[in-house]
């Protein structure tokens, strides 16, 4: 494995498993870094040259205010600096959201995979089947938890900026605008930390699946795969199955 530093603002740290196989970029989630994706990278390296950047403000990369435009430009810098030709892009959580945005922007991408890269629930209309008054109360309770978590971070302002960007992402619009194929793997179970909000998250998953299913009926580049028995931590829970899904989806593409 080689280590690269991509210059610019911010500088970006990249792990590169090397080889002459088709390139695949793995993107980690919020609060993590590329090291957490190495088990998945090892499962994919036989078929791909796997490259793992640390996103801006994470791991060994430089600090910079989070924005989707900035993060997409960072990814483009990594692709150019390492000479990657039409890389596939796979990400979990925040990285999955970024992968979906990349697929909406890069028609030459052979395929992208988002592993439960969903916006943070923030509006009652996202919660299918939940009474609006109850939905608003549960969202307020969830917001208080998230605000407390952000306040405990080393940079509370940047943590809050990232959280709000994740809540404001219009995933539906990105899926409608796909220029490249996207597989969206969806969690079907709660994390332990989500269990106190089980009613909210169940309603959110129902609403999300219904909306995306309607979009997929009109958008042939979008494929949905709810993963039985998997939570938002599916990368840690089901690494072999995730690797199979990624490899199988990308094998369908030239």
């Amino acid at each position: 494995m080689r280590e690269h530093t991509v210059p610019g603002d911010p500088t970006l740290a990249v792990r590169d498993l090397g080889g002459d196989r088709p390139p695949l970029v793995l993107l980690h989630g919020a609060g993590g870094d590329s090291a957490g994706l190495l088990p998945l990278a090892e499962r994919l390296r036989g078929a791909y040259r796997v490259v793992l950047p640390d996103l801006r403000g994470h791991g060994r990369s430089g600090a910079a205010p989070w924005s989707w435009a900035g993060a997409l430009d960072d990814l483009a810098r990594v692709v150019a600096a390492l000479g990657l030709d039409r890389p596939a892009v796979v990400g979990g959580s925040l990285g999955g959201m970024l992968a979906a945005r990349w697929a909406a922007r890069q028609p030459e991408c052979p395929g992208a995979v988002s592993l439960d890269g969903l916006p943070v629930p923030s509006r009652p209309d996202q919660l299918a089947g939940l009474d609006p008054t109850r939905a608003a109360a549960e969202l307020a309770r969830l917001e208080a938890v998230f605000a407390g978590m952000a306040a405990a971070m080393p940079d509370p302002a940047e943590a809050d900026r990232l959280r709000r960007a994740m809540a404001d992402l219009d995933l539906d619009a990105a899926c409608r605008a796909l220029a490249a194929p996207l597989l969206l793997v969806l969690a079907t179970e709660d994390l332990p930390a989500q269990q106190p909000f089980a009613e909210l998250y169940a309603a959110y998953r129902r609403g999300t699946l219904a909306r995306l299913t309607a979009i997929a009926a009109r958008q042939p580049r979008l494929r949905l795969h709810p993963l039985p028995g998997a939570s938002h931590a599916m990368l840690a829970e089901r690494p072999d199955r995730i690797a199979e899904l990624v490899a199988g989806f990308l094998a369908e593409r030239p």
Side-chain angles (χ1 to χ4, degrees):
M1 182 171 65
R2 293 172 288 175
E3 307 276 350
H4 304 279
T5 299
V6 176
D9 185 16
T11 58
L12 300 168
V14 183
R15 292 178 164 95
D16 180 2
L17 272 60
D20 58 0
R21 296 166 295 280
L24 185 154
V25 179
L26 285 183
L27 304 172
H28 62 80
D33 61 34
S34 59
L37 293 174
L38 286 173
L40 179 60
E42 289 293 339
R43 288 169 167 82
L44 295 170
R45 71 182 303 178
Y48 299 97
R49 174 188 175 184
V50 184
V51 171
L52 306 96
D54 287 344
L55 300 178
R56 59 171 52 201
H58 291 75
R60 301 157 302 148
S61 288
W66 183 268
S67 72
W68 294 110
L72 286 165
D73 288 345
D74 292 346
L75 181 50
R77 285 197 288 129
V78 169
V79 169
L82 274 64
L84 306 180
D85 180 25
R86 300 173 64 247
V89 178
V90 178
S93 191
L94 174 66
M97 299 182 207
L98 191 57
R101 291 290 303 270
W102 182 263
R105 167 173 163 165
Q106 301 288 341
E108 71 277 9
C109 177
V113 181
S114 170
L115 304 171
D116 210 43
L118 302 181
V120 176
S122 58
R123 305 190 314 272
D125 63 277
Q126 296 172 320
L127 308 179
L130 201 58
D131 174 78
T133 301
R134 173 70 172 167
E138 286 297 278
L139 287 169
R141 192 164 68 94
L142 184 65
E143 169 69 17
V145 171
F146 283 149
M149 292 169 61
M153 296 293 180
D155 186 345
E158 182 55 26
D160 191 63
R161 179 199 296 269
L162 176 56
R163 178 173 64 91
R164 294 192 183 281
M166 293 172 69
D168 292 343
L169 174 70
D170 191 341
L171 180 63
D172 293 6
C175 288
R176 291 189 188 97
L178 287 174
L182 174 70
L183 172 64
L184 181 50
V185 184
L186 299 169
T188 56
E189 305 291 339
D190 290 331
L191 290 166
Q194 294 172 332
Q195 289 171 0
F197 299 92
E199 184 182 25
L200 181 154
Y201 278 103
Y204 182 59
R205 285 193 292 270
R206 285 195 303 270
T208 298
L209 182 59
R211 290 195 319 276
L212 293 176
T213 298
I215 292 170
R218 298 174 176 83
Q219 171 52 277
R221 295 186 179 94
L222 177 62
R223 184 180 301 179
L224 307 175
H225 185 93
L227 187 57
S231 76
H232 193 65
M234 59 179 65
L235 272 168
E237 297 165 346
R238 306 283 298 280
D240 291 332
R241 181 59 180 144
I242 295 297
E244 290 173 1
L245 287 170
V246 169
F249 179 72
L250 296 179
E252 299 173 14
R253 271 78 209 165

